[in-house]
Amino acid sequence: MLSAAVAGGVFASPPPASILAAILCLHNAGACGVLLIVKNYTGDRLNFGLAAEQARNHGVAVDMVIVAEDCAFDQPSKAGRRGLCGTVFIHKLAGALAEEGCSLVQIVSKVTKALKGIGTLGVSLSPCSVPGCLPSFDLPPGDMELGLGIHGEPGIKRSKVASADEVVKTVIDHMTNPDSQSHLPLKSGDGVVVCVNNLGALSCLEMAVVTRAAIICLESRGVVVARVMSGSFMTSLEMAGVSLTLMRADQETLRLFDAKTSAAAWPNLSSACVSGRSYITEAQDVSTRPPEETHSEGPQSPVMRQVLEKVCSSLLEKQEELNALDRASGDGDCGNTHAQAARAIQEWLRDHVVPGCPAQLLSVLAGLVQEKMGGSSGALYSLFLTAAAGHVTEGQSNAAAWATAMHAGTQAMKRYGGADVGDRTMLDALCPAVDELMKLQTAPPGGQMAVLQTAVQKASSGAESTRDLTARAGRASYIAAERITLPDPGAVAVASIMRAVLETLEGQK
């Protein structure tokens, strides 16, 4: 792309002596001519112009192209339109032409023609600050500035922050408004190269949102998006903003744009046209829930319904408590995720009978929590329920079978989740309780409730014990141990679920 770049102070043109030194360096290295690509600011024009004149006196073939593609002003002043991120396109085209051996005159002619088809407009949510200085302008929270420059200059219009789709539409409307003397003529059927340029402080996520909005907006007008580049190409220090540059492109322009370059920061773009590719597809039904089927109730249906209702109400009551525990060791949403699962189950209970076969019920619950709960908790509970379902069939659903099912579910969580007892997770409540429940396989009918009561006590003790454990799994493992002094929210949730089951069964007696 460029053979040399000359830097001045922050937001200032480089001095003529530095520019001349760069020109002479290239000339002495054997360049048959030097093209200066200059953005349209008074200081740049003067200093580069002076250096060009001095270079000619040294016998150097020099020419200068002024980039002035800003679309902000409807009626530009005598100073003309500013040079913005479209300059990068000129760097690319001129560099490709020079690499092919074109003469200085040919390069100037071709990039001057290309300049007539380039337009740029910026929008920002914040000003920038020259190091050691106050912000270049004041912008209240919730406001955005349209048409600002790259040196911290305020824009031409201020408005309230809107969605990316609305902002992009406003930008493209302004850029292509034929009533403006600075507009970029663009009609349906035209092909364009799009540059979405980060002015300094936007995240990759925000840039991707704006890029998608730009593609959709242009295509809705019948414009063919031939290439898209998105990233930090011409920043304004730490300004939280974005500029949109459009360049009308025929096949020759695209050929030069696609030419390989050793410039390290140039993106490795696909040479395929963006428009016409099916990058948005209709969502397909990938639900893992068993297909809706008519379930018949059985002897255990009423108590299983009561147990589920009690579990759901308990989790909803503990929503804020679980969130508070999670804020100390995670992202603060443990209560919310359990509440989502509880509400999904409550909604399902309102519209369905509880099947008499426990395996069918557990399969339904596994699909519900996977779909509605989300995150690692949803996956873990779904694993548990799916693995447990195979051990409580309609003909085999006594206490011993339920204990075996609980054990199988716990083993699945360990196998796929990678955690174990002592790692400060929900397993610290679940595993001691399940170990106790395995005694149901040999307990006499009269002693089953005592086993369940002890299991619930062990779940509660296990949850409380996590207060003193060092996290070795889950989000809490990334936090310094001395900062975590409360019980693990997942373990507390498990203990609450088991207590709700116990209280319901005790009420049956």
Side-chain angles (χ1 to χ4, degrees), residues 19-20 23-24 27 32-37 48-65 104-105 108:
I19 303 168
L20 179 60
I23 296 171
L24 294 178
H27 176 70
C32 59
V34 177
L35 173 62
L36 306 180
I37 301 173
F48 276 86
L50 179 54
E53 292 300 322
Q54 292 170 340
R56 290 189 184 104
N57 290 337
H58 284 78
V60 182
V62 180
D63 209 335
M64 187 161 71
V65 168
L104 184 58
V105 172
V108 170

Side-chain angles (χ1 to χ4, degrees), residues 436-449:
E436 182 66 24
L437 288 175
M438 291 301 287
K439 295 178 182 178
L440 289 171
Q441 294 179 332
T442 56
Q448 291 176 347
M449 189 58 68

Side-chain angles (χ1 to χ4, degrees), residues 69-332:
E69 92 292 7
D70 181 18
C71 293
F73 299 98
D74 293 340
Q75 293 181 310
S77 65
K78 187 174 182 180
R81 301 161 66 185
R82 297 171 294 194
L84 302 175
C85 191
T87 311
V88 177
F89 284 161
I90 298 303
H91 290 167
K92 184 65 176 68
L93 302 183
L97 289 166
E99 192 72 16
E100 292 178 355
C102 291
S103 69
L104 184 58
V105 172
Q106 290 174 317
I107 296 173
V108 170
S109 173
K110 290 185 177 182
V111 298
T112 300
K113 179 182 177 182
L115 268 170
K116 296 175 182 176
I118 301 177
T120 299
L121 192 65
V123 63
S124 182
L125 307 181
S126 78
C128 63
S129 305
V130 173
C133 301
L134 293 173
S136 53
F137 58 89
D138 294 320
L139 189 59
D143 283 5
M144 63 181 187
E145 193 93 14
L146 179 72
L148 65 172
I150 54 172
H151 302 125
E153 314 98 312
I156 57 165
K157 179 183 176 183
R158 185 169 292 186
S159 60
K160 292 298 179 184
V161 172
S163 71
D165 289 335
E166 293 174 282
V167 172
V168 166
K169 183 179 183 302
T170 299
V171 167
I172 293 177
D173 283 345
H174 189 95
M175 290 175 68
T176 58
N177 180 8
D179 294 332
S180 168
Q181 294 179 16
S182 300
H183 80 285
L184 173 67
L186 203 60
K187 64 182 184 301
S188 178
D190 284 347
V192 296
V193 176
V194 179
C195 178
V196 183
N197 173 54
N198 190 344
L199 288 171
L202 293 190
S203 66
C204 293
L205 174 63
E206 290 164 316
M207 289 297 293
V209 170
V210 175
T211 302
R212 178 179 184 273
I215 294 170
I216 291 173
C217 183
L218 288 165
E219 289 184 338
S220 70
R221 299 166 184 237
V223 175
V224 177
V225 181
R227 305 285 187 274
V228 177
M229 51 195 286
S230 176
S232 300
F233 303 107
M234 187 171 289
T235 62
S236 188
L237 297 176
E238 85 288 20
M239 183 178 285
V242 62
S243 67
L244 196 63
T245 301
L246 306 178
M247 175 172 68
R248 290 204 309 272
D250 54 20
Q251 288 306 308
E252 173 64 6
T253 302
L254 291 178
R255 185 184 68 79
L256 297 171
F257 183 83
D258 291 338
K260 296 296 181 183
T261 173
S262 60
W266 185 258
N268 182 26
L269 296 175
S270 166
S271 59
C273 183
V274 176
S275 293
R277 283 191 281 167
S278 180
Y279 56 90
I280 299 176
T281 59
E282 292 298 321
Q284 299 178 8
D285 182 12
V286 291
S287 174
T288 54
R289 247 195 280 177
E292 291 290 339
E293 54 184 88
T294 304
H295 296 135
S296 56
E297 292 186 311
Q300 294 187 26
S301 294
V303 67
M304 289 193 293
R305 176 178 285 275
Q306 291 174 16
V307 165
L308 285 175
E309 289 172 343
K310 180 65 175 177
V311 167
C312 291
S313 62
S314 297
L315 290 176
L316 289 171
E317 288 171 6
K318 283 191 167 288
Q319 180 174 356
E320 288 308 317
E321 178 187 339
L322 294 175
N323 281 343
L325 291 173
D326 197 29
R327 279 192 287 273
S329 59
D331 52 4

